[in-house]
């Protein structure tokens, strides 16, 4: 008679919890060789060691218990197992690529937030920026439900075309118009796409390389006018030559549901015609 091993012995020998072995029994993946009717203790034989090793190998490849059971129930050939392994490798490769994209998105966002904190919040300063690329949209009715719906649709379409990733939301407003009216009116909305050349067929805005007068803010996005006024006062006080357009961009927005408050970490910039640092 083959030696019988208790569920506790099998658990220790294979570094698998008793709860896991019981679950394998419940789903029909690894049935014990014998169950004592009175005590309900489960006992396994040496052949179960081979089966358990196979299950562990399959799990290490990311197969589900249903997929493993399908393999075991049909006494799959080596060729069939190779096919499963190959498909699983392709799926894992795809997941790795997706995780790398997520990691890239996290690193970009982390860098933007850390840079803004290092630069300071609420103070005007000069910042050098490389060339930046944006897709242009005529969605300017901000602070309305219509705007939020259109923005959501835009981001959805971009996600379908180019996947999930960091997309910088920005707005453009006329320097002269704000200077004259002291009212904030957006000319157009923009979404940054880095150097993804597959979207260049869309109408685009290119922010040229150069020095930009910059102000970081952390506030309700409906309360940005005072920051524009602060920049305007600085420009006039320093007698600076600037470009025609303010650019307001956002790094991250969060919502305090308990207090029903929304805050956004953002940045307002306007290009300096001449590099002037005071």
């Amino acid at each position: 008679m083959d030696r019988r091993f208790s569920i506790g012995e099998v658990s220790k020998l294979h570094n698998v919890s008793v709860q896991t072995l019981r679950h394998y029994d419940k789903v029909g993946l690894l049935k014990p060789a014998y169950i004592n009717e009175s005590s309900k203790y489960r006992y396994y034989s040496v052949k179960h060691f081979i089966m358990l090793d196979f299950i562990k190998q399959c799990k290490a490849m990311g197969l589900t218990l249903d997929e493993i059971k399908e393999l075991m129930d049909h006494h799959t050939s080596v060729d069939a197992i190779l096919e499963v392994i190959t498909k699983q490798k392709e799926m894992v490769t795809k997941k790795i690529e997706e995780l790398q994209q997520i990691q890239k998105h996290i690193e970009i966002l982390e860098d933007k937030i850390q840079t803004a904190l290092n630069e300071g919040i609420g103070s005007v300063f000069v910042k050098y920026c490389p060339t930046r690329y944006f897709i242009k949209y005529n969605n300017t009715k901000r602070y309305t439900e219509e705007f939020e719906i259109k923005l959501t649709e835009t981001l959805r379409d971009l996600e379908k075309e180019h996947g999930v990733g960091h997309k910088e939301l920005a707005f453009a407003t006329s320097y002269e118009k704000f200077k004259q009216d002291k009212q904030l009116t957006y000319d157009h909305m923009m979404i940054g796409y880095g150097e993804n050349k597959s979207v260049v067929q869309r109408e685009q805005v290119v922010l040229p390389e150069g020095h930009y007068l910059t102000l970081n803010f952390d506030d309700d996005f409906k309360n940005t006018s005072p920051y524009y006024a602060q920049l305007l006062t600085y420009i006039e006080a320093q007698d600076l030559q600037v470009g025609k357009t303010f650019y307001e961009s956002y790094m991250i927005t969060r919502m305090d549901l308990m207090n029903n408050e929304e805050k956004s970490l953002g940045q307002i910039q306007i290009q300096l015609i001449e590099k002037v640092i005071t």
Side-chain angles (χ1 to χ4, degrees):
M1 182 177 180
D2 293 337
R3 179 182 170 184
R4 293 175 179 174
F5 299 83
S6 70
I7 193 170
E9 289 175 317
V10 175
S11 172
K12 290 180 180 179
L13 281 169
H14 291 272
N15 194 30
V16 177
S17 71
V18 169
Q19 291 80 3
T20 297
L21 291 170
R22 287 174 178 162
H23 181 66
Y24 288 170
D25 179 13
K26 182 179 179 181
V27 299
L29 183 61
L30 188 68
K31 289 288 186 182
Y34 169 75
I35 300 179
N36 187 295
E37 291 186 5
S38 58
S39 66
K40 302 302 181 183
Y41 288 170
R42 295 168 170 84
Y43 294 93
Y44 298 81
S45 66
V46 173
K47 74 173 185 178
H48 288 89
F49 294 0
I50 299 172
M51 297 166 66
L52 193 51
D53 284 339
F54 180 75
I55 292 170
K56 291 174 75 173
Q57 288 184 55
C58 290
K59 285 191 66 180
M61 292 188 293
L63 295 179
T64 66
L65 295 186
D66 286 340
E67 290 169 333
I68 298 170
K69 189 173 186 300
E70 181 72 16
L71 285 174
M72 296 177 68
D73 286 350
H74 292 85
H75 305 285
T76 306
S77 68
V78 174
D79 287 340
I81 291 177
L82 179 60
E83 182 181 350
V84 170
I85 291 173
T86 301
K87 288 182 179 178
Q88 193 68 11
K89 183 186 73 172
E90 292 171 354
M91 185 184 74
V92 169
T93 300
K94 184 177 180 181
K95 284 184 178 180
I96 290 173
E97 291 173 352
E98 290 173 353
L99 287 172
Q100 287 174 335
Q101 287 297 315
I102 293 172
Q103 182 183 25
K104 184 178 179 181
H105 167 64
I106 291 171
E107 289 173 348
I108 290 172
L109 188 56
E110 179 186 37
D111 180 66
K112 284 179 176 290
I113 294 173
Q114 187 62 64
T115 298
L117 292 176
N118 291 341
E119 293 167 342
I121 308 297
S123 300
V124 180
F125 61 98
V126 176
K127 180 176 182 176
Y128 169 79
C129 296
T131 304
R132 290 167 287 174
Y133 304 88
F134 291 83
I135 307 170
K136 182 179 178 181
Y137 296 91
N138 295 318
N139 186 17
T140 58
K141 295 181 180 180
R142 207 164 180 213
Y143 318 132
T144 65
E145 287 189 359
E146 178 186 354
F147 171 84
E148 293 298 335
I149 292 171
K150 286 187 176 180
L151 175 59
T152 300
E153 291 173 344
T154 298
L155 294 174
R156 175 203 62 198
D157 293 342
L158 283 173
E159 183 178 320
K160 285 181 179 179
E161 293 178 34
H162 307 288
V164 179
H166 181 72
K167 297 176 179 64
E168 183 179 4
L169 177 65
F171 300 89
T173 191
S174 166
Y175 166 72
E176 288 297 336
K177 190 170 183 181
F178 182 80
K179 182 178 179 180
Q180 178 180 343
D181 301 337
K182 301 297 189 294
Q183 296 291 325
L184 186 56
T185 304
Y186 295 109
D187 295 333
H188 52 266
M189 182 185 84
M190 310 183 301
I191 295 180
Y193 62 88
E195 295 184 0
N196 186 351
K197 301 305 180 184
S198 63
V199 298
V200 295
Q201 68 271 21
R202 298 173 182 267
E203 187 175 3
Q204 61 179 312
V205 176
V206 179
L207 272 60
E209 168 187 16
H211 289 85
Y212 287 76
L213 202 62
T214 305
L215 189 152
N216 295 318
F217 64 87
D218 187 31
D219 205 340
D220 189 318
F221 69 90
K222 297 177 183 177
N223 188 39
T224 54
S225 290
Y227 302 111
Y228 283 87
Q230 184 179 346
L231 278 166
L232 183 60
T233 299
Y234 187 94
I235 292 167
E236 292 175 343
Q238 299 294 327
D239 193 25
L240 300 176
Q241 297 290 322
V242 297
K244 297 180 179 180
T245 308
F246 282 115
Y247 296 103
E248 176 185 332
S249 61
Y250 287 85
M251 296 164 230
I252 192 167
T253 298
R254 70 263 192 209
M255 186 75 184
D256 182 349
L257 296 177
M258 293 292 293
N259 299 307
N260 195 30
E261 293 179 352
E262 183 173 338
K263 272 195 169 186
S264 297
L265 179 61
Q267 186 177 85
I268 304 170
Q269 293 188 309
I270 189 166
Q271 187 176 19
L272 289 172
I273 303 303
E274 295 179 0
K275 180 181 175 183
V276 179
I277 304 178
T278 61

